[in-house]
């Protein structure tokens, strides 16, 4: 099995889920006592969040590029950025090392296409929902992407940063997210991308009338499959 390099900590709540899913998928694929070969570089999310708010994406990219170089030195054979939003600086990570990056949006788009769907709603941080770095990548993957209205986007963003990233899961917020999902479905969404790795801590398939696509799970499972590709061959 190849070694998976994780750029995590954004937030650690979802990075912990990545670690769990990587190991569950590896055991599912290989059986017995097998677990994932992986190395983790966990950044201080408080520092990254400040760079996000201040629009200092170049500096944030440099932080993640440094993490990528450390993972390469530690023996990583492929890299994951364990957050949707920070794929805004994916090009910094790709330029920093010779290790291939498995892009989260690509793994997600592949899963949506495999389900036979095209028109999807997208939930995530305001950066992810409103900027082109992620929506454009999904569109390039053949998807028609819809996002909530301004009030819905503000609600989704607030819950991510003020609750989920702090490990707070509230029934009231789950109900609010369900209403946002229902609005997206009413506008024609055939599925909903949980485009922030923390969102799947709050809602799941039971909270939506259409299929949901949990990006942390999809990303981690795709990473294991990639790491075991030669094993399968």
């Amino acid at each position: 099995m190849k070694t998976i390099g994780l750029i995590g900590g954004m937030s650690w709540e979802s990075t912990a889920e990545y670690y769990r899913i990587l190991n569950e998928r590896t055991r599912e694929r290989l059986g017995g006592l097998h677990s994932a070969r992986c190395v983790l570089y966990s950044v201080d999310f408080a520092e990254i969040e400040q760079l996000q708010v201040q629009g200092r994406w170049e500096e944030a990219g440099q932080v993640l590029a440094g993490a990528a170089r450390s993972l390469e030195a530690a023996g990583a054979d492929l890299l994951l950025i364990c957050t949707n939003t920070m794929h805004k600086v994916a090009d910094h990570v790709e330029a920093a090392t010779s290790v291939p990056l498995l892009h989260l949006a690509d793994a997600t788009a592949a899963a949506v296409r495999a389900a036979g769907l095209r028109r999807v709603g997208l939930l995530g941080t305001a950066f992810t929902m409103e900027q082109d770095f992620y929506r454009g990548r999904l569109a390039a993957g053949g998807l028609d992407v819809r996002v909530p209205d301004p009030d819905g986007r503000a609600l989704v963003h607030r819950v991510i940063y003020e609750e989920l990233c702090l490990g707070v899961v509230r029934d009231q917020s789950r109900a609010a997210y369900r209403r946002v999902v229902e609005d997206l479905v009413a506008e024609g969404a055939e599925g909903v991308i949980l485009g922030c790795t923390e969102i799947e801590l709050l809602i799941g398939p039971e909270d939506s009338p259409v299929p949901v696509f949990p990006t942390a799970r999809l990303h981690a499972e795709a990473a294991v499959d990639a790491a075991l590709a030669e094993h399968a061959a």
Side-chain angles (χ1 to χ4, degrees):
M1 183 177 186
K2 294 178 180 177
T3 299
I4 301 167
L6 308 170
I7 303 175
M10 301 168 285
S11 68
W12 71 259
E13 298 282 348
S14 62
T15 301
E17 286 296 294
Y18 265 87
Y19 183 70
R20 180 179 62 81
I21 297 165
L22 287 172
N23 285 292
E24 288 178 348
R25 181 68 163 185
T26 301
R27 183 172 59 194
E28 177 185 309
R29 288 285 309 272
L30 299 181
L33 297 176
H34 285 287
S35 54
R37 293 184 183 275
C38 60
V39 288
L40 167 65
Y41 189 108
S42 189
V43 304
D44 182 354
F45 189 38
E47 296 175 0
I48 297 295
E49 189 268 344
Q50 281 301 302
L51 295 175
Q52 292 176 341
V53 170
Q54 296 166 11
R56 295 159 61 191
W57 294 102
E58 181 69 26
E59 293 175 54
Q62 291 171 6
V63 173
L64 267 60
R69 286 190 290 267
S70 294
L71 290 170
E72 181 176 31
D77 298 304
L78 67 151
L79 298 176
L80 306 185
I81 302 172
C82 301
T83 159
N84 289 271
T85 297
M86 293 311 293
H87 279 72
K88 182 175 175 70
V89 298
D91 56 336
H92 288 72
V93 172
E94 290 177 311
T97 79
S98 60
V99 179
L101 174 71
L102 179 58
H103 199 290
L104 198 159
D106 294 345
T108 301
V112 174
R113 291 195 305 270
L117 306 181
R118 179 175 175 272
R119 186 181 301 113
V120 289
L122 172 63
L123 304 181
T125 67
F127 310 110
T128 299
M129 291 186 288
E130 295 172 1
Q131 298 182 20
D132 190 59
F133 71 90
Y134 194 84
R135 292 174 58 177
R137 187 92 175 199
L138 293 173
L143 305 187
D144 177 3
V145 182
R146 312 292 175 89
V147 297
D149 63 23
D151 288 344
R153 295 199 300 272
L155 171 104
V156 171
H157 181 90
R158 181 191 63 75
V159 169
I160 291 168
Y161 279 92
E162 296 182 9
E163 298 177 20
L164 301 179
C165 287
L166 299 174
V168 177
V169 178
R170 293 179 173 149
D171 289 340
Q172 181 180 3
S173 296
R174 180 177 295 111
Y177 267 52
R178 285 174 174 168
R179 290 191 291 272
V180 173
V181 168
E182 289 168 0
D183 288 344
L184 288 169
V185 173
E187 293 175 6
E190 303 166 323
V192 176
I193 293 172
L194 308 184
C196 171
T197 52
E198 281 81 22
I199 291 177
E200 53 213 83
L201 303 174
L202 181 66
I203 63 172
E206 67 278 6
D207 299 299
S208 171
V210 296
V212 298
F213 296 88
T215 53
R217 172 168 293 278
L218 293 172
H219 200 201
E221 291 180 349
V224 171
D225 293 345
L228 289 173
E230 293 182 5
H231 178 87

